[in-house]
Amino acid sequence: MAAVIVAPSQMNAQPGHGGPPPGQAKKGNYPPPGQGGPGRQDFRMDRNYRDQVARHYRSDAQRWNNRKRPAFAPGYAIPRNYSIRPVPSSYWRGMPPPPRGYQYGYYDGYMVAYDPTTRIIADVMDLVTAFAH
């Protein structure tokens, strides 16, 4: 059920090291904790399916525990140099589909609902926290 929230200390972190994505860091307009950005879709992934999705990415997600990762937030674009892997529909079977024009993707322990053309994030699910306890 954990959402990605950028702590104030992370807002000044170096891009790619727990702070905002590089393109957003330069703009200086990264959202305050708990708030989305200007391109935000009114969409939320159902966190009840987190464990179902996480088991498919267990080995990769576990390696990101206690490691620095980029911070993704709804409403902001994923940098073009980040290679987002599509999430097969069999992994999210039973979940509501992403918004029209969006798809589910995976990157560094995060499942994101994003627009593949603009790379704007509608919502983020942190799969690393599924294995953190």
Side-chain angles (χ1 to χ4, degrees):
M1 280 188 142
V4 174
I5 297 175
V6 178
S9 63
Q10 291 178 316
M11 292 175 69
N12 296 321
Q14 291 297 312
H17 299 283
Q24 308 312 320
K26 293 176 187 173
K27 294 178 184 175
N29 63 349
Y30 204 67
Q35 296 180 13
R40 183 183 186 127
Q41 285 282 324
D42 187 19
F43 174 77
R44 294 275 186 266
M45 285 187 267
D46 186 339
R47 277 11 180 215
N48 293 319
Y49 292 95
R50 184 182 69 168
D51 291 339
Q52 170 187 322
V53 174
R55 76 173 162 252
H56 295 288
Y57 292 106
R58 177 180 298 274
S59 61
D60 187 70
Q62 284 180 319
R63 77 184 178 99
W64 289 104
N65 193 25
N66 295 320
R67 294 177 84 186
K68 300 227 182 232
R69 301 181 289 157
F72 289 155
Y76 283 88
I78 300 167
R80 294 271 173 209
N81 61 329
Y82 289 20
S83 181
I84 306 298
R85 297 187 312 212
V87 175
S89 60
S90 62
Y91 289 14
W92 53 272
R93 185 171 290 125
M95 283 179 63
R100 183 182 198 140
Y102 281 62
Q103 66 185 35
Y104 289 129
Y106 177 83
Y107 185 82
D108 287 359
Y110 297 113
M111 180 175 165
V112 293
Y114 77 107
D115 179 324
T117 303
T118 64
R119 298 175 67 88
I120 298 291
I121 299 169
D123 199 15
V124 179
M125 188 183 305
D126 188 348
L127 302 178
V128 173
T129 59
F131 306 108
H133 36 290

